[in-house]
Amino acid sequence: MFSKKNAIFLSFIFLLVSSSRAQIETIISGRVTESGTNNSIPFVNIRFKGTFIGAVTDFEGNYTIKTSVPTDSIYVSLIGYKSKSKPVKKGKTQIVNFQLNSETLNLNTIEVRPGINPALRIIKNAVLNKSKYNRENLNSVQYLSYTKQETDINNITPRMRKRKFLHAISDLWDRMDSLAGEDSKANLPVAMSEIIADIYSYKEGEKKHEDVNATKIKFVGMKDGSALSQLQGTDFQNYNFCNNNVAIINKDFLSPIADNANLFYNYYLMDSVFLDSTKCYVIKCRPKNKKDLAYTGTLWITDTSFAIKQLDLEITKEVNFNLVDHVRIQQLNIPTTAGPWVPSQTRVLIKFATQLKRLVALTQRTYNSNKFYVVNQPKQIDFYKTRITFAEDAITKDSTWWKKERHEPLTSLESEGYNMIDTVREIPFVRGATNVLYFLFTGYKDVGPIDIGHYINVYGYNKYEGSRIQIGFRTNAKFSKNWVIRGYGAYGFQDKGFKYNTQLERIISRYPWSNIGIQYRDDIDQIGTSFNTTSNINLGQSPNNLYNTFSHIGNISKLVRLEEARIWYEKDFNRGIFSTLTYHNVRTTPLFPVEFGDQFSIFQQRKYTISEFLFETKLSAKEKFIQNGNQRISFGNNKSPVITLNYTLGVKHLLGGDFNYNKLSLSISNRFRMATLGYSQVYLKFGKVFSEIPYTLLEIPRGNETSIFANNTFNVMNYFEFVSDQYIEAYWQQHFNGLFLNRIPLIKKLNFREVVGMNMVYGTLSQKNTIFNNNNNFTVMDDVPYFEGDLGIENILDVIRVDFLYRLTYNDDFYLAQYQKANPGNTLTNWRLKVGLQFAF
């Protein structure tokens, strides 16, 4: 019989055992951060050494791990960082923090045994189900977004720190070093920013509206913080891996769950874990070819729905990615009530490389947090007409407000970084370096309220003027925030003639953009070119600056003297629709023999005047702009077509106009992204002239007699070679981004990229314009279009491009002889080798 005495004895033994077990249980918690920045590191693997007991840090780098198995140390590891272990006290509850140092990614060998790879089944299901979870399928989305960005200069040696111009910040730098912890050296912060905004997007018409509640920015080289504040905002890309291609700095990389990803990736099932009570498969992915534009890293895929719950992906140093040494994306996704998953938190690290180890390099870190998602409840359509609005106190919110509203608190190192930027910005050396970079980028040197430039136009040469010197200027925001005066003066040493341009512009509104301008210009131009009234920058287009310069140097025979007056009005009527109305009056004096009209008429003359109205409308739905002082910078439109419609009406007798005429043209350009296959750039143009006008005003395809390669130009065609009044032009280039050269031993180390292309134009001349211009020497196409092929290599030393181009039609001996007879002194060649400067990541 079980006695009371036995019960007491057993209870004592139970308490003794429980106490013993409690004493040997070890509980560790802490946070894992990056050495030198104190930024949180999510998804770090943590294990008690010698056991299978482990955990993974959350998105803030926090962890908790416990064991009853005796152990004396804890071990942390993550691809891209040096592993580290620390001693722990057995049977104690304690806090152990880690700081990890980054290292070059070195992947260990993974053994795959014969049989079916279980990872492929999981990836196949993720691919099949990704359309259900793609957030782009939501009709509308709104959320509160917080974005924090920091740009640092790293690779600063102790010797560099001793330089005189850095003495002013030595004390502050030492304090930051102590905050970095564990004998780390802090980087030099050069830009920090934060922004909190409500974001609204509407699928129909791809509309987006942004209400900026607060923005804070510090930038070492800041001339006008307004420009940078427009870039650092909530337009931060949310890296949608349900799409086939995911871009980094406008360069497409293949998603690990793209439709054809299995052709480019190897997959490995590493483990299964529970995240927020959801079982997930841990899948490692690697590119089959290290040079391919693909990611390396880990996916956590839910076990029943096959959605990506979180990811940790990298772009390694081996990938053909200019000036970028390393990219890391860490993302946590959450489901919406409608089904698709959306990002709740994202961290992005981009380390920019340098060609020389002795030079410093840049590191950019971005943290994005989104909360309070509301889906499929769109606003009224008028709500989306304004792309961005700023709260009246957006830039004046105090530190108390920021401390309360930040989604993630600043680290002590980040707080000191803000103060350090203010100090660094006042160093004379830094101010001087900023001015040099500004000059190289914009082409202008600011001298108080006036900018002097553009340096690319300083020198020119042609047969008529000889050597030509030109000095230009424009006023900046210091002169006026609404009025802009610009112009230039030029002098030709052979004709001893002075030429000039002057124009006045008024910025009516900035959001949406509208302005009005007036201009008068007296100068010499080449037939087939046009003067650009604006100096605004378009970063979305490949620059032809070298071509524009060299096309005015050399054997130029078709020159005209122009006295032109212009007035224009430009306005963004809606997001993505840009219209310009221009009145143009030009008195033209050809500097070569020209006749037009009935050969028996007294109307034959050398000079003529045109008086015309030009109307242009451009549809560019996704084009992005920022305001830099009084200049408007376009970041291009690489994700949707750009359609431009031009109509010109010539009016006879209006302010001396000699002709009535109508012109109409339509152009379409687009870039088709293909991830590992590169991208195709296509440009089409159609046009017709409906009236009788001098052949110098007809359509003249742009040729290129320089040794410089130019985009959207016929590089084997001479200047002014063909004339037409109805035409179609097509330009196509396929940039393979090293798809083939990356697979050739030795050559692949050079990071060369192959390009193929084809240009075509076909134009005819109506009978009435043939008769009207029958006493002049020009060429008209027959029944065959003009074609030229292009085979090139780009990315030579990162910026040089070399193209071999061949004329495929109009290359027979008869045509070449006839052309030379009609154009004495001008010869044609069937092939040309061109060199250009073209930078692309």
Side-chain angles (χ1 to χ4, degrees):
M1 189 171 181
F2 194 81
S3 66
K4 182 176 180 182
K5 185 176 182 179
N6 290 335
I8 293 173
F9 177 76
L10 291 174
S11 298
F12 175 76
I13 294 298
F14 176 78
L15 290 173
L16 184 64
V17 171
S18 299
S19 174
S20 175
R21 290 194 55 169
Q23 289 177 0
I24 65 172
E25 185 172 52
T26 305
I27 302 174
I28 311 293
S29 61
R31 186 165 178 253
V32 182
T33 57
E34 184 180 51
S35 179
T37 67
N38 278 353
N39 286 334
S40 305
I41 307 179
F43 316 145
V44 178
N45 299 306
I46 300 176
R47 293 187 184 275
F48 284 111
K49 205 164 187 179
T51 75
F52 293 101
I53 301 170
V56 177
T57 60
D58 62 18
F59 211 81
E60 307 304 328
N62 299 312
Y63 75 93
T64 299
I65 186 173
K66 60 179 68 175
T67 184
S68 298
V69 178
T71 183
D72 59 2
S73 62
I74 192 171
Y75 177 84
V76 299
S77 64
L78 183 64
I79 293 176
Y81 291 91
K82 294 180 180 178
S83 301
K84 184 177 287 189
S85 63
K86 282 189 175 184
V88 296
K89 297 177 181 178
K90 298 179 182 178
K92 300 290 185 181
T93 298
Q94 56 209 279
I95 296 175
V96 179
N97 296 320
F98 286 88
Q99 282 200 324
L100 301 184
N101 293 302
S102 60
E103 68 172 353
T104 301
L105 185 62
N106 184 18
L107 295 175
N108 297 320
T109 301
I110 296 178
E111 181 181 356
V112 179
R113 296 183 174 86
I116 298 175
N117 183 353
L120 292 179
R121 177 189 66 84
I122 299 167
I123 291 295
K124 181 179 179 180
N125 280 289
V127 173
L128 292 174
N129 286 276
K130 67 177 182 176
S131 61
K132 294 192 300 184
Y133 307 125
N134 194 333
R135 54 184 174 270
E136 292 182 2
N137 292 329
L138 292 167
N139 185 37
S140 69
V141 183
Q142 67 184 70
Y143 54 92
L144 179 66
S145 180
Y146 167 71
T147 301
K148 174 175 62 178
Q149 289 183 331
E150 178 179 349
T151 302
D152 299 330
I153 294 177
N154 57 16
N155 198 32
I156 300 178
T157 65
R159 183 179 178 181
M160 292 179 185
R161 288 196 181 196
K162 295 178 181 180
R163 291 182 178 175
K164 185 177 180 180
F165 74 92
L166 291 177
H167 287 174
I169 60 172
S170 58
D171 292 341
L172 188 56
W173 207 332
D174 290 340
R175 173 172 168 77
M176 292 184 67
D177 281 344
S178 64
L179 293 173
E182 296 191 6
D183 300 322
S184 297
K185 291 294 183 182
N187 295 325
L188 176 64
V190 294
M192 297 184 69
S193 64
E194 297 176 274
I195 188 168
I196 296 178
D198 291 293
I199 308 297
Y200 306 83
S201 63
Y202 186 33
K203 183 178 179 181
E204 183 178 339
E206 298 183 337
K207 295 178 173 61
K208 185 174 182 180
H209 176 80
E210 186 172 341
D211 289 329
V212 177
N213 303 319
T215 180
K216 184 177 182 181
I217 182 169
K218 294 288 182 71
F219 178 43
V220 165
M222 184 164 54
K223 282 179 169 290
D224 180 358
S226 62
L228 194 61
S229 67
Q230 296 165 64
L231 280 178
Q232 56 91 37
T234 52
D235 225 359
F236 173 74
Q237 187 175 3
N238 282 322
Y239 299 102
N240 186 357
F241 285 86
C242 286
N243 290 333
N244 287 330
N245 304 321
V246 182
I248 306 290
I249 320 180
N250 283 332
K251 192 176 186 70
D252 282 339
F253 291 80
L254 190 71
S255 168
I257 60 169
D259 294 338
N260 61 339
N262 64 313
L263 299 177
F264 298 90
Y265 282 99
N266 289 320
Y267 302 96
Y268 311 94
L269 176 60
M270 306 303 295
D271 202 351
S272 61
V273 297
F274 281 90
L275 300 175
D276 299 328
S277 302
T278 302
K279 184 180 179 180
C280 296
Y281 298 111
V282 182
I283 305 291
K284 295 283 186 184
C285 62
R286 295 181 182 176
K288 292 182 177 180
N289 186 307
K290 293 181 180 180
K291 288 286 185 180
D292 281 344
L293 302 182
Y295 295 90
T296 297
T298 307
L299 304 172
W300 285 260
I301 298 176
T302 58
D303 71 330
T304 55
S305 57
F306 298 99
I308 297 178
K309 183 170 179 61
Q310 64 186 35
L311 57 86
D312 185 357
L313 298 175
E314 292 187 292
I315 298 171
T316 64
K317 189 175 183 178
E318 289 81 8
V319 174
N320 192 339
F321 198 4
N322 280 348
L323 296 187
V324 175
D325 187 59
H326 180 218
V327 176
R328 188 177 202 123
I329 301 174
Q330 297 163 318
Q331 189 176 78
L332 182 63
N333 297 308
I334 58 175
T336 63
T337 56
W341 289 55
V342 292
S344 62
Q345 296 180 91
T346 305
R347 292 185 191 276
V348 180
L349 167 70
I350 302 177
K351 291 185 177 181
F352 294 93
T354 59
Q355 298 298 320
L356 299 175
K357 292 183 178 180
R358 291 184 297 174
L359 294 179
V360 297
L362 287 177
T363 298
Q364 185 181 71
R365 294 175 177 82
T366 304
Y367 170 78
N368 175 252
S369 172
N370 301 321
K371 294 182 178 180
F372 311 128
Y373 276 97
V374 177
V375 300
N376 293 342
Q377 296 181 27
K379 302 288 186 180
Q380 293 293 326
I381 194 67
D382 289 345
F383 176 81
Y384 301 96
K385 286 186 176 180
T386 304
R387 191 187 73 84
I388 187 170
T389 63
F390 290 84
E392 291 185 3
D393 59 346
I395 62 175
T396 59
K397 293 286 200 319
D398 59 22
S399 57
T400 302
W401 186 95
W402 278 103
K403 187 175 181 179
K404 179 182 177 182
E405 299 299 331
R406 283 187 183 102
H407 294 192
E408 181 189 64
L410 294 181
T411 66
S412 55
L413 197 60
E414 289 170 337
S415 297
E416 288 296 331
Y418 268 123
N419 298 328
M420 191 172 191
I421 289 173
D422 286 334
T423 305
V424 172
R425 190 165 55 198
E426 298 304 317
I427 298 175
F429 175 85
V430 174
R431 288 203 306 267
T434 300
N435 290 333
V436 171
L437 291 174
Y438 180 84
F439 174 68
L440 293 175
F441 176 71
T442 66
Y444 288 84
K445 173 67 175 72
D446 61 322
V447 183
I450 296 176
D451 297 341
I452 305 298
H454 194 289
Y455 58 77
I456 202 74
N457 299 319
V458 169
Y459 178 77
Y461 177 86
N462 58 66
K463 286 183 176 181
Y464 185 82
E465 295 178 279
S467 293
R468 168 190 168 111
I469 301 297
Q470 176 175 311
I471 303 296
F473 76 95
R474 69 185 184 192
T475 60
N476 55 42
K478 296 177 183 177
F479 174 83
S480 173
K481 294 183 181 297
N482 297 313
W483 292 95
V484 180
I485 303 173
R486 72 174 89 241
Y488 65 79
Y491 182 79
F493 289 90
Q494 181 169 295
D495 70 336
K496 295 182 172 47
F498 180 74
K499 298 90 183 176
Y500 65 94
N501 172 68
T502 181
Q503 59 192 77
L504 175 67
E505 300 172 42
R506 164 72 177 179
I507 300 174
I508 300 172
S509 67
R510 297 178 184 271
Y511 302 102
W513 174 266
S514 66
N515 78 335
I516 190 169
I518 187 170
Q519 174 221 359
Y520 185 82
R521 178 171 176 261
D522 185 349
D523 204 347
I524 291 174
D525 272 355
Q526 174 190 322
I527 289 292
T529 65
S530 60
F531 175 71
N532 186 11
T533 60
T534 177
S535 60
N536 290 343
I537 299 171
N538 189 338
L539 299 179
Q541 295 179 353
S542 298
N544 283 335
N545 289 339
L546 284 178
Y547 164 78
N548 293 335
T549 298
F550 280 89
S551 64
H552 290 85
I553 300 176
N555 182 28
I556 302 172
S557 57
K558 297 294 193 298
L559 296 172
V560 291
R561 183 83 184 222
L562 300 178
E563 298 173 75
E564 57 180 329
R566 178 186 286 108
I567 183 170
W568 72 90
Y569 174 66
E570 180 184 34
K571 182 175 177 60
D572 293 1
F573 287 94
N574 201 345
R575 187 184 180 193
I577 300 178
F578 315 97
S579 295
T580 305
L581 178 63
T582 304
Y583 172 71
H584 193 198
N585 185 277
V586 186
R587 286 177 288 175
T588 303
T589 303
L591 302 178
F592 58 94
V594 59
E595 295 179 359
F596 51 86
D598 186 345
Q599 59 180 319
F600 302 107
S601 169
I602 61 171
F603 187 64
Q604 293 185 32
Q605 61 185 66
R606 184 183 180 93
K607 300 181 181 180
Y608 59 87
T609 299
I610 62 170
S611 183
E612 61 184 13
F613 293 92
L614 298 90
F615 177 74
E616 178 181 284
T617 294
K618 182 174 73 170
L619 174 62
S620 184
K622 295 184 179 180
E623 188 166 5
K624 296 179 181 179
F625 297 89
I626 66 167
Q627 305 289 329
N628 181 33
N630 292 336
Q631 308 305 312
R632 196 182 191 212
I633 300 176
S634 170
F635 279 77
N637 185 351
N638 292 328
K639 296 182 179 180
S640 65
V642 178
I643 302 173
T644 305
L645 176 68
N646 283 278
Y647 172 70
T648 303
L649 172 66
V651 183
K652 190 174 182 179
H653 302 313
L654 177 63
L655 298 180
D658 287 322
F659 311 102
N660 287 315
Y661 55 89
N662 295 273
K663 296 181 181 181
L664 185 66
S665 69
L666 176 69
S667 65
I668 303 172
S669 65
N670 200 5
R671 174 177 289 190
F672 300 94
R673 295 182 170 184
M674 305 176 187
T676 54
L677 298 178
Y679 66 91
S680 280
Q681 187 73 44
V682 178
Y683 178 80
L684 298 173
K685 184 178 180 182
F686 314 83
K688 184 174 177 61
V689 180
F690 297 91
S691 313
E692 297 176 352
I693 54 176
Y695 73 102
T696 54
L697 298 176
L698 296 175
E699 176 62 18
I700 302 169
R702 188 165 70 166
N704 183 5
E705 297 180 33
T706 76
S707 59
I708 305 299
F709 177 85
N711 288 289
N712 296 341
T713 301
F714 297 100
N715 287 282
V716 199
M717 182 187 291
N718 276 11
Y719 301 131
F720 204 77
E721 184 173 341
F722 295 105
V723 171
S724 61
D725 57 12
Q726 48 189 353
Y727 57 92
I728 176 173
E729 297 180 7
Y731 305 87
W732 167 72
Q733 287 186 17
Q734 177 67 36
H735 299 254
F736 286 104
N737 285 336
L739 177 66
F740 305 108
L741 297 178
N742 284 345
R743 286 158 173 77
I744 301 176
L746 299 180
I747 291 180
K748 65 182 182 181
K749 295 182 179 181
L750 300 174
N751 286 335
F752 290 167
R753 301 172 188 171
E754 54 284 286
V755 183
V756 296
M758 183 75 71
N759 299 333
M760 183 277 292
V761 59
Y762 181 61
T764 61
L765 191 64
S766 63
Q767 184 67 20
K768 59 185 178 183
N769 267 316
T770 301
I771 297 173
F772 193 72
N773 292 281
N774 66 351
N775 290 328
N776 299 282
N777 290 324
F778 55 82
T779 306
V780 179
M781 294 182 188
D782 51 31
D783 295 334
V784 179
Y786 170 88
F787 281 98
E788 64 182 34
D790 180 10
L791 179 62
I793 296 178
E794 58 185 353
N795 206 44
I796 302 172
L797 299 178
D798 291 344
V799 297
I800 299 174
R801 170 175 177 166
V802 177
D803 288 79
F804 176 82
L805 301 115
Y806 189 78
R807 178 190 286 249
L808 299 172
T809 56
Y810 297 93
N811 58 357
D812 56 275
D813 292 338
F814 176 78
Y815 174 78
L816 298 179
Q818 288 296 108
Y819 176 83
Q820 189 168 0
K821 182 179 179 181
N823 299 271
N826 285 10
T827 59
L828 291 174
T829 58
N830 287 334
W831 67 273
R832 284 177 181 162
L833 191 67
K834 305 277 185 177
V835 179
L837 296 180
Q838 175 178 293
F839 175 79
F841 281 99

